[in-house]
């Protein structure tokens, strides 16, 4: 039986991925880890280790004590926060990946590491962005993810490390709050609408970006990790897509449920980041190689987010 360690398990993606893997693999076989002294409440029912992944010794101890065979390495400084502290973002994003890849040479059977649409840049084709194209990221997050993709492919080709990766679009879910990304507005907007409040968006109304419902992201991640090695023909990172929309479009969809909802637009420094990213993604390689299929478009996304969040929003 696989013994899985999830690094960064208390984050937005990590929380939901941990819950799903525990459901599939057995709670005791999935060890959550993060910087917190205690796990977030949703993860309190299973094994947890406090871990600063920059501490290589602590990481090695956990691998040995739990006989870990697979690592999902999710810890990272995201796009917006990365611009506020670029040197630390580079250190965390790069050093931690190299630590995990080194463990893959002799201890681990599989590694998962997420990339992002942030690897693209202002020179990249904006529509239907190809799997292989010009990549000129202009954020430290994007630069670190592009460098990470090259390291993953290098470790696979030179050392045979079975490392797999997806370039996530913006991820939208209701079980955990986002962690400082440029697409966070697409989660925040639901909280405001359900609470009956106006939402002031930090992107312009027509900023088109690729997005994905969290359940689809979790499904894609596990499907990629479960597929046979011969199906994984991209060892840098796979393009991944489900839908694209602008703040104006998601606001109009929300108004079908909350007709009085109001949105205003005051773009800040995150607008420049969004402007450098694609508006839509060609993920045909993932669909052809290992059968990726998404299940939620914009209408389904809005319905499921409202249905689940309206039970949790605290009204003043």
């Amino acid at each position: 039986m696989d013994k899985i360690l999830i690094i960064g398990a208390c984050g937005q993606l990590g929380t939901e991925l941990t819950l799903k893997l525990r459901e599939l693999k057995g709670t005791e076989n999935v060890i959550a880890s993060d910087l917190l002294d205690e796990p977030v409440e949703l993860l309190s029912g299973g094994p947890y280790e406090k871990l600063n992944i920059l501490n290589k010794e602590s990481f090695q101890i956990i691998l040995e004590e739990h006989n870990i065979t697979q690592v999902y390495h999710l810890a990272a400084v995201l796009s917006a926060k990365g611009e506020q502290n670029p040197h630390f973002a580079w250190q965390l994003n790069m050093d931690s990946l190299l630590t995990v890849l080194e463990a893959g040479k002799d201890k681990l059977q599989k590694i998962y590491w997420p990339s992002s649409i942030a690897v693209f840049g202002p020179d990249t084709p904006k529509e239907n962005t190809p799997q292989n194209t010009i990549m000129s990221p202009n954020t430290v997050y994007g630069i670190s993810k592009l460098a990470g993709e090259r390291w993953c492919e290098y470790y696979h080709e030179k050392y045979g490390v079975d490392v797999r990766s997806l370039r996530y679009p913006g991820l939208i879910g209701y079980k955990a709050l986002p962690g400082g990304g440029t697409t966070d507005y697409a989660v925040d907007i639901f909280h405001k609408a359900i609470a009956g409040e106006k939402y002031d968006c930090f992107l312009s109304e027509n900023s088109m970006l690729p997005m994905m419902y969290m359940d689809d992201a979790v499904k894609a991640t596990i499907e990629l990790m479960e597929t046979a090695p011969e199906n994984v023909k991209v060892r840098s990172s796979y393009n991944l897509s489900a839908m694209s929309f602008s703040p104006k479009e998601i606001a109009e969809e929300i108004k079908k449920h909350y007709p009085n909802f109001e949105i205003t637009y005051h773009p800040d420094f995150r607008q420049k980041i969004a402007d450098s990213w694609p508006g839509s993604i060609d993920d045909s390689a993932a669909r052809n190689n290992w059968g990726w299929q998404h299940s939620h478009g914009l209408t389904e996304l809005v319905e499921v987010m409202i249905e689940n969040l309206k039970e949790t929003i605290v009204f003043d």
Side-chain angles (χ1 to χ4, degrees):
M1 177 61 70
D2 295 323
K3 292 296 290 289
I4 297 169
L5 174 66
I6 301 182
I7 304 169
C10 293
Q12 185 192 19
L13 173 62
T15 299
E16 301 208 30
L17 185 59
T18 303
L19 291 171
K20 189 62 178 179
L21 282 169
R22 285 178 173 173
E23 177 187 323
L24 295 172
K25 304 287 187 178
T27 298
E28 295 305 312
N29 294 317
V30 181
I31 293 84
S33 71
D34 214 307
L35 290 169
L36 304 175
D37 290 329
E38 301 290 337
V40 294
E41 185 177 352
L42 283 171
L43 303 183
S44 60
Y48 177 80
E49 295 279 0
K50 182 179 180 180
L51 173 64
N52 180 348
I53 186 54
L54 294 178
N55 186 325
K56 297 179 183 179
E57 183 178 345
S58 296
F59 175 59
Q60 292 296 332
I61 290 171
I62 291 172
L63 291 186
E64 291 170 10
E65 286 186 348
H66 293 277
N67 297 311
I68 298 299
T69 61
Q70 294 185 18
V71 167
Y72 288 70
H73 175 32
L74 309 180
V77 179
L78 302 184
S79 58
K81 284 190 175 179
E83 293 307 286
Q84 296 167 5
N85 195 345
H87 290 278
F88 175 69
W90 176 260
Q91 179 190 18
L92 175 62
N93 294 0
M94 283 291 90
D95 290 356
S96 64
L97 173 59
L98 289 170
T99 295
V100 174
L101 288 172
E102 277 294 304
K105 287 161 64 174
D106 53 11
K107 288 187 173 69
L108 302 173
Q109 295 173 9
K110 288 183 194 175
I111 295 169
Y112 178 78
W113 174 80
S115 189
S116 163
I117 59 170
V119 297
F120 303 119
D123 300 319
T124 303
K126 293 289 188 184
E127 301 305 321
N128 215 28
T129 302
Q131 174 68 45
N132 299 305
T133 187
I134 297 169
M135 302 166 83
S136 54
N138 56 7
T139 65
V140 67
Y141 179 62
I143 293 167
S144 69
K145 287 299 185 183
L146 179 54
E149 288 190 12
R150 307 317 310 148
W151 278 118
C152 287
E153 191 165 65
Y154 179 85
Y155 268 77
H156 174 71
E157 292 182 355
K158 188 171 181 67
Y159 304 114
V161 175
D162 189 352
V163 56
R164 308 177 183 200
S165 179
L166 297 169
R167 291 173 183 153
Y168 291 122
L171 301 183
I172 305 167
Y174 61 86
K175 292 179 183 175
L177 293 174
T182 302
T183 57
D184 286 0
Y185 87 86
V187 177
D188 298 338
I189 193 171
F190 288 102
H191 290 262
K192 294 294 187 182
I194 294 168
E197 300 175 11
K198 179 188 294 186
Y199 180 60
D200 189 26
C201 186
F202 55 74
L203 297 182
S204 64
E205 62 178 356
N206 294 317
S207 296
M208 187 74 68
L209 289 170
M211 300 284 191
M212 179 173 288
Y213 179 48
M214 186 61 75
D215 281 13
D216 276 339
V218 169
K219 179 175 78 123
T221 304
I222 295 173
E223 285 179 354
L224 176 60
M225 285 293 277
E226 294 293 316
T227 196
E230 59 266 24
N231 295 333
V232 186
K233 303 184 186 302
V234 175
R235 289 293 181 164
S236 52
S237 192
Y238 274 100
N239 276 6
L240 193 70
S241 182
M243 68 189 100
S244 292
F245 58 76
S246 66
K248 181 179 180 180
E249 287 174 336
I250 192 173
E252 290 301 320
E253 195 67 32
I254 289 172
K255 285 180 183 179
K256 295 177 182 177
H257 301 264
Y258 296 95
N260 295 324
F261 173 62
E262 295 181 38
I263 184 170
T264 54
Y265 303 94
H266 291 95
D268 64 13
F269 73 97
R270 288 166 284 195
Q271 184 64 52
K272 185 177 179 181
I273 299 174
D275 288 343
S276 73
W277 290 354
S280 60
I281 299 289
D282 175 6
D283 63 354
S284 54
R287 295 178 188 270
N288 293 335
N289 291 176
W290 45 274
W292 160 242
Q293 294 286 338
H294 70 280
S295 52
H296 287 73
L298 178 57
T299 298
E300 295 84 6
L301 168 72
V302 170
E303 288 176 351
V304 74
M305 287 292 288
I306 289 174
E307 179 182 351
N308 286 281
L309 279 177
K310 68 183 179 183
E311 305 298 329
T312 66
I313 299 296
V314 176
F315 295 90
D316 293 331

